[in-house]
């Protein structure tokens, strides 16, 4: 079971890194979300998977650690807010530059430098 969890986290992380390397903002947002999910699974896996074990000390012979669950729950909320913020930044960048490429220039298109004011 641990090998399956570790393999799943590795596949999700590899997919996230691939999407982060893409040139489009939508792929970068998806990559960031997937990377957040991979980290959440990693944190959840660090707390060990116990069945029917209470998170209270002294209540049963086998107890589970409630800290990873609390960390994952907090990370989900923060990740959702961060994703919303990054989507807003991507939309603003698309509006300002007219392109959804991360550097604002389409590949293969001619790039013309416009001189700044006072430069000639």
């Amino acid at each position: 079971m641990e090998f399956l969890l570790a393999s799943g986290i590795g596949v999700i992380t590899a997919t996230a890194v691939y999407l982060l390397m893409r040139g489009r903002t939508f792929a970068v947002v998806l990559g960031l979300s997937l990377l957040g999910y991979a980290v959440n699974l990693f944190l959840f896996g660090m707390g060990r998977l116990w069945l029917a074990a209470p998170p209270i000390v002294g209540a049963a012979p086998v107890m589970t650690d409630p800290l990873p669950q609390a960390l994952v729950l907090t990370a989900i909320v923060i990740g959702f807010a961060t994703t919303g913020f990054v989507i807003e930044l991507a939309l603003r960048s698309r509006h300002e530059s007219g392109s959804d490429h991360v550097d604002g220039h389409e590949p293969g298109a001619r790039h013309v430098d416009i001189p700044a004011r006072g430069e000639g």
Side-chain angles (χ1 to χ4, degrees):
M1 188 63 164
E2 290 158 348
F3 177 75
L4 183 63
L5 182 64
S7 298
I9 291 170
V11 167
I12 293 172
T13 304
T15 305
V17 169
Y18 173 75
L19 287 172
L20 285 172
M21 298 303 229
R22 304 282 300 173
R24 302 286 179 197
T25 55
F26 183 69
V28 171
V29 171
L30 281 178
L32 285 173
S33 296
L34 280 177
L35 194 60
Y37 296 148
V39 169
N40 288 343
L41 283 174
F42 178 73
L43 287 174
F44 197 70
M46 289 293 98
R48 304 269 178 151
L49 301 174
W50 297 99
L51 295 176
I56 300 170
V57 176
V62 176
M63 294 158 285
T64 184
D65 186 12
L67 184 64
Q69 297 172 9
L71 287 174
V72 168
L73 192 60
T74 304
I76 289 170
V77 173
I78 292 171
F80 184 72
T82 304
T83 302
F85 181 68
V86 170
I87 288 173
E88 180 60 33
L89 286 177
L91 288 173
R92 179 66 180 202
S93 173
R94 166 83 173 150
H95 177 72
E96 292 288 325
S97 67
S99 170
D100 68 338
H101 204 265
V102 292
D103 64 358
H105 304 294
E106 291 292 328
R110 278 191 67 183
H111 175 63
V112 178
D113 285 330
I114 300 172
R117 292 183 182 185
E119 288 187 6

